[in-house]
Amino acid sequence: MQVSQTEQEQLEDLKKWWKENAKAVIVGVVIGLSVLFAAWAWRDYSRSQGEAASAEYQLLVGEVKKGDAEAGLKRGVGIINRFGTTSYAVFAAFALAKLELERGNLGEAHKHLEWALNHAKQDELQHIARLRLARVMLSEGQHDAALKLLSPKQPGSFLPAYEELKGDLYLASGQTAEAQTAYQRALNAAAQDDIKQLIQIKLDDLGAPPPAAKKAP
């Protein structure tokens, strides 16, 4: 069967195109496969890193529970150095801050919580780090800096904790009216009865009137 002139021309054009573009096509395929293999390798690496970080963190938790501060501090630093991009590194920073606070080292606790705040990726962990850091700053007497740390954020479900801590900071600064306002906002936003009772105690200590009883329908 003879190939028609049109088909022959198409075949010649195809050969010409392949001759001109073969190298680029092959390079593109190689690059594509390389990217794919790299993605698979990174996924496997991330999984192994996460598993290793989890195992180390569990050991850290055990050391903290046993009160082995030296071992806990050493392991916590190791987790941060080896697995700094994982959430376990943030958890380790929280543990390190707790251990340092128990030893009376406010400055070291401050550093660990600041690291956690700067490296936490999830909003919830950022809020926890920010609140804990602000409490340490309260103990350090850095009232204005702590208020600045808390004020511009959108706390969401952490609103009661933010406002209660703001009240503590205002009170420590001698700003009683501002403290009362913050405690009242915290009380209005709180959902748990035990938290409400604690905030109400703080309001009572400031001489604030108790909340009005709801009238029966």
Side-chain angles (χ1 to χ4, degrees), residues 56 60 63-64 68-82 92 96 99-100 103 112:
E56 283 293 299
L60 171 59
E63 289 162 351
V64 171
D68 192 346
E70 292 301 328
L73 289 169
K74 182 178 180 180
R75 192 177 301 279
V77 171
I79 292 173
I80 289 174
N81 289 338
R82 292 174 58 197
L96 288 172
L99 290 170
E100 293 292 5
R103 293 154 63 100
H112 291 308

Side-chain angles (χ1 to χ4, degrees), residues 110-185:
H110 185 127
K111 290 178 184 177
H112 291 308
L113 291 172
E114 197 167 51
W115 187 94
L117 178 59
N118 291 333
H119 291 81
K121 297 180 178 65
Q122 296 88 347
D123 288 344
E124 182 176 353
L125 292 180
Q126 289 179 2
H127 286 310
I128 293 171
R130 187 174 292 109
L131 287 165
R132 293 185 182 183
L133 177 56
R135 290 192 187 101
V136 170
M137 294 169 75
L138 171 59
S139 299
E140 292 175 317
Q142 300 183 38
H143 305 147
D144 292 340
L147 283 167
K148 185 177 180 180
L149 181 68
L150 297 175
S151 296
K153 305 303 175 184
Q154 298 298 322
S157 62
F158 287 83
L159 178 61
Y162 270 68
E163 292 300 330
E164 182 183 358
L165 184 49
K166 285 181 187 178
D168 294 342
L169 289 162
Y170 282 127
L171 187 60
S173 301
Q175 302 177 67
T176 305
E178 290 82 355
Q180 184 172 328
T181 300
Y183 286 144
Q184 190 61 58
R185 285 197 296 260

